[in-house]
Amino acid sequence: MSYGTADSLRPVTLDDVRGAQKMLTGVARATAMEGSRHLSQLVGSPVHLKCENLQRTGSFKLRGAYVRIAGLLPEERAAGVVAASAGNHAQGVALASSLLGVHATVFMPNGAPLPKISATREYGAEVRLHGQVVDETLAAAEEYAAETGAVFIHPFDHPDIIAGQGTVGLEILDQCPEVGTIVVGVGGGGLAAGIAVAVKAIRPDVRIVGVQAAGAAAYPPSLAAGHPVTVRHPVTMADGIRVGRPGDVPFAIVRDLVDEVRTVGEDQLSAALLLCLERAKLVVEPAGASPVAALLAEPGAFPGPVVAVLSGGNVDPVLMQRVLRHGMAAQGRYLAVRLRLTDRPGALATLLGVLSVVDANVLDVSHVRTDPRLGLAEAEVELHLETKGPAHCAEVGHALREAGYTVID
């Protein structure tokens, strides 16, 4: 593999990616590509979903991790490897190490989801919990590497990692030779860089669009500055792309080969995850749904045919529950409303009768009588309702006001 530097024009070559593809034969799956009728109608051209959420370990990370570890010298393998991750990279390193007979130690933050911690252990790695955020975990892993001689396996800032991730691009060209645009989520940039190297070398006309969460978007300011820039305290539900600084090696490739990097908000991520679940019947984590979020945000901006890379499906069930509610609210299918009514027997039943007439399903009711802001004969009710969309939400609000209730915004 080529090792390159941040100043190299092409730290990874097409030959590197093709070599990685041979190395991954029988290890990583050539994941399915599914058409999406709904997104195709929205975009106005065919849209295909590249299902890396169905990859072994639930994300594309196995590809790069295996190539990186397989390329180690015998004495390096004997020293073992160490990694830091909140989930997907951890599982990729754990399985790759197990397949190659290398001992792996993986540092994970204390707040990492329990399913991801359990899966990493089950794949054979020794898991150590350290710190509250990934930056603290990363520092602990690097310190461990310095103390023990274990090889640190970076999640994105290494040419071998990028070459492994680039095999996704080769599969896309094989499965959809006529592709016009590839949309891919971007955290540190390893996946986008690898896809760009592979695809642009064969089809330079293909447009490659990266997508970041707006609360963790380090690439736009970095590209504007011409060098990696750190975003302090990145915040997003999409933990798979919650990275504060681009990697030096992938940044150089993204700068030169990726056509555009867009950002999406939390509402758009939630709506995209919900769409993948309802329309495509695919469980996708928020980071994996980011390309779909970009399509939903501006469907006319992507020349087709379009391939959206669903990079991972490792979503914590607790987060999934919160995100689905958030997505339903963003689509007008979940409505929270507060109102005041006269505090008398049967008042709540009368209110629920109004909601029944407009076919709003009540999920939860909170009834307050003792707030000092309330009048002597008043009560405040907060309702969580399941609705059918923005028009239905407006209908519910109108019905409540028509019935004489004071709705509190």
Side-chain angles (χ1 to χ4, degrees):
M1 293 294 169
S2 167
Y3 277 79
T5 67
D7 295 326
S8 301
L9 181 62
R10 303 278 178 87
V12 185
T13 68
L14 176 60
D15 285 342
D16 292 330
V17 181
R18 284 176 168 158
Q21 189 175 46
K22 291 180 181 178
M23 191 179 294
L24 288 167
T25 301
V27 176
R29 298 183 181 126
T31 52
M33 187 175 288
E34 300 288 341
S36 171
R37 184 176 302 173
H38 177 77
L39 288 173
S40 297
Q41 291 174 345
L42 188 68
V43 171
S45 63
V47 175
H48 306 279
L49 306 176
K50 176 62 172 167
C51 299
E52 282 296 292
N53 59 310
L54 303 180
Q55 183 58 262
R56 297 180 69 180
T57 75
S59 87
F60 69 96
K61 290 288 190 177
L62 171 64
R63 298 174 183 263
Y66 187 91
V67 172
R68 173 76 172 101
I69 298 169
L72 296 178
L73 298 173
E75 57 269 28
E76 292 175 319
R77 291 196 190 193
V81 299
V82 60
S85 167
N88 289 347
H89 180 60
Q91 293 173 70
V93 168
L95 179 56
S97 299
S98 178
L99 294 172
L100 292 164
V102 177
H103 180 265
T105 302
V106 177
F107 285 78
M108 304 181 75
N110 284 297
L114 291 177
K116 293 186 178 183
I117 295 173
S118 298
T120 303
R121 286 182 171 138
E122 288 171 7
Y123 286 128
E126 176 188 349
V127 174
R128 299 191 181 191
L129 301 179
H130 183 90
Q132 300 301 318
V133 296
V134 174
D135 287 345
E136 295 173 355
T137 308
L138 187 65
E142 290 175 330
E143 183 179 347
Y144 177 89
E147 291 175 351
T148 64
V151 179
F152 179 64
I153 307 300
H154 199 282
F156 49 81
D157 203 11
H158 192 282
D160 288 356
I161 295 287
I162 294 169
Q165 321 306 29
T167 59
V168 175
L170 295 181
E171 289 179 18
I172 289 172
L173 292 181
D174 182 57
Q175 294 168 315
C176 184
E178 70 281 11
V179 60
T181 303
I182 297 173
V183 191
V184 55
V186 178
L191 178 60
I195 289 175
V197 167
V199 172
K200 290 289 190 177
I202 300 171
R203 286 276 314 280
D205 59 304
V206 174
R207 184 170 178 79
I208 298 178
V209 178
V211 183
Q212 291 208 288
Y219 263 92
S222 297
L223 292 170
H227 58 81
V229 171
T230 300
V231 172
R232 302 294 178 188
H233 310 299
V235 177
T236 175
M237 71 175 77
D239 61 329
I241 53 175
R242 190 173 58 216
V243 177
R245 182 186 185 278
D248 292 330
V249 179
F251 173 79
I253 300 173
V254 171
R255 178 193 62 205
D256 294 338
L257 297 181
V258 171
D259 296 279
E260 179 185 7
V261 177
R262 291 173 166 257
T263 62
V264 293
E266 301 298 285
D267 286 354
Q268 292 161 334
L269 287 167
S270 296
L273 188 148
L274 187 60
L275 184 145
C276 288
L277 187 63
E278 287 189 326
R279 297 299 185 102
K281 314 306 177 189
L282 292 169
V283 175
V284 182
E285 62 188 271
S290 60
V292 175
L295 296 181
L296 294 176
E298 193 174 351
F302 304 91
V306 177
V307 173
V309 181
L310 307 182
S311 57
N314 292 318
V315 57
D316 179 32
V318 175
L319 175 62
M320 172 71 87
Q321 184 180 39
R322 293 204 308 266
V323 170
L324 288 179
R325 283 205 165 191
H326 190 266
M328 289 177 70
Q331 289 190 347
R333 294 169 52 193
Y334 179 80
L335 177 65
V337 59
R338 286 190 305 135
L339 51 84
R340 290 181 182 176
L341 46 73
T342 303
D343 189 14
R344 58 176 175 75
L348 183 58
T350 301
L351 169 62
L352 297 180
V354 173
L355 296 172
S356 176
V357 170
V358 291
D359 201 25
N361 185 33
V362 178
L363 301 175
D364 188 44
V365 178
S366 176
H367 200 186
V368 178
R369 293 188 176 91
T370 57
D371 194 303
R373 296 171 301 171
L374 297 174
L376 185 63
E378 283 186 323
E380 185 173 291
V381 175
E382 182 172 353
L383 300 156
H384 292 176
L385 309 173
E386 185 179 2
T387 49
K388 302 173 184 177
H392 191 210
C393 288
E395 181 185 355
V396 171
H398 178 74
L400 290 172
R401 290 183 176 90
E402 283 290 303
Y405 294 103
T406 301
V407 179
I408 304 169
D409 294 328

